[in-house]
């Protein structure tokens, strides 16, 4: 039995001045670095999109960021172009201690399917491989931190709870996008799913 720290999408595009900046996104970097010492396994995730990704408003005619469209797997919020494979915006925040990572999971590479969760694409069935990795290392408890609380952190936490992990989200080391009440909705949903939400 061991416990892993999952550091979700602490990338330049989700930090101030980034393409999909999350307020205060950079303020969580040092606390996350410090927290890494307490975990035997550290996983980093990286949002990693091709430049024509269907989650981008620019891939649709007459659509703008934060519009919602219907995709094969359900509603999809359209985003500004972000985290394009190999770009500066897709790199980890320069101060994040990425050398400590045991594994880096990249997600969102399929141009037709978004992937918020570290475990499954938004179709809910295509796995990223992280569950197999964690099972193989006998990890049963997860602590999640990172960006954004209401999208990739929440989707990852909900999938993890469904998969049977004991899940904690450190809200003090996460920040949200909060489009249209999405932050409160996500916190509600996580709490109902048995995710342990803590502030320090
Ligand atoms: C994310 C929106 C689009 C996230 C990624 O990391 O929360 N949000 N892509
Ligand atoms: Zn994305």
């Amino acid at each position: 039995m061991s416990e892993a720290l999952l550091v979700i999408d602490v990338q330049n595009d989700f930090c101030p001045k980034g393409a999909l900046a999350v307020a205060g996104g950079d303020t969580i970097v040092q606390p996350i670095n410090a927290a890494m010492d307490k975990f035997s396994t550290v996983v980093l995730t990286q949002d990693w999109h091709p430049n024509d990704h269907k989650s981008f408003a620019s891939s649709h005619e007459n659509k703008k960021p934060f519009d919602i469209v219907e995709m094969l797997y359900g509603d999809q919020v359209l985003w500004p172009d972000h985290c394009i494979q190999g770009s500066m915006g897709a790199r980890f925040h320069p101060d994040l201690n990425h050398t400590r990572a045991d594994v880096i999971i990249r997600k969102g590479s399929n141009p037709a399917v978004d992937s918020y969760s570290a475990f499954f694409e938004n179709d809910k069935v295509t796995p990223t491989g992280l569950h197999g990795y964690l099972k193989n290392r006998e990890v049963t408890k997860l602590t999640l931190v990172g960006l954004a609380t209401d999208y990739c952190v929440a989707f990852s936490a909900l999938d993890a709870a469904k998969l049977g992990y004991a899940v904690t989200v450190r809200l003090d080391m996460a920040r949200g996008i909060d489009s249209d009440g999405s932050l409160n909705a996500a916190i509600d949903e996580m709490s109902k799913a048995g995710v342990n939400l803590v502030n320090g």
Side-chain angles (χ1 to χ4, degrees), residues 26 91 129 150 178:
D26 55 339
R91 290 195 194 174
D150 38 354
D178 203 13

Side-chain angles (χ1 to χ4, degrees), residues 168-185:
T168 296
V169 171
R170 283 286 299 260
L171 293 171
D172 57 318
M173 294 187 214
R175 293 291 181 275
I177 294 173
D178 203 13
S179 70
D180 222 356
S182 56
L183 187 55
N184 278 336

Side-chain angles (χ1 to χ4, degrees), residues 9 14 20 47 49 79 82 107 114 116 147-148 151-152 177:
D9 299 2
F14 298 121
L20 180 41
D47 211 34
H49 299 307
W79 305 109
H82 65 278
K107 59 188 181 60
D114 210 355
Y116 296 147
L147 304 169
Y151 287 94
C152 292
I177 294 173

Side-chain angles (χ1 to χ4, degrees), residues 26-111:
D26 55 339
T27 63
I28 63 174
V29 174
Q30 293 305 346
I32 290 173
N33 287 343
M36 288 178 182
D37 290 343
K38 301 187 190 82
F39 295 85
S40 54
T41 299
V42 174
V43 177
L44 305 185
T45 69
Q46 207 168 16
D47 211 34
W48 197 250
H49 299 307
N51 62 12
D52 60 349
H53 198 261
K54 277 284 186 278
S55 76
F56 297 168
S58 64
S59 300
H60 302 258
E61 280 197 31
N62 303 315
K63 294 291 176 197
K64 53 183 194 314
F66 303 99
D67 284 350
I68 293 171
V69 294
E70 182 85 11
M71 303 269 258
L72 287 173
Y73 50 84
D75 281 358
Q76 168 74 49
V77 181
L78 296 179
W79 305 109
D81 293 14
H82 65 278
C83 296
I84 292 172
Q85 297 168 356
S87 69
M88 277 302 294
R91 290 195 194 174
F92 293 116
H93 185 285
D95 297 333
L96 184 71
N97 182 14
H98 61 269
T99 59
R100 174 66 178 79
D102 294 287
V103 68
I104 296 172
I105 296 286
R106 288 178 170 161
K107 59 188 181 60
S109 298
N110 180 342

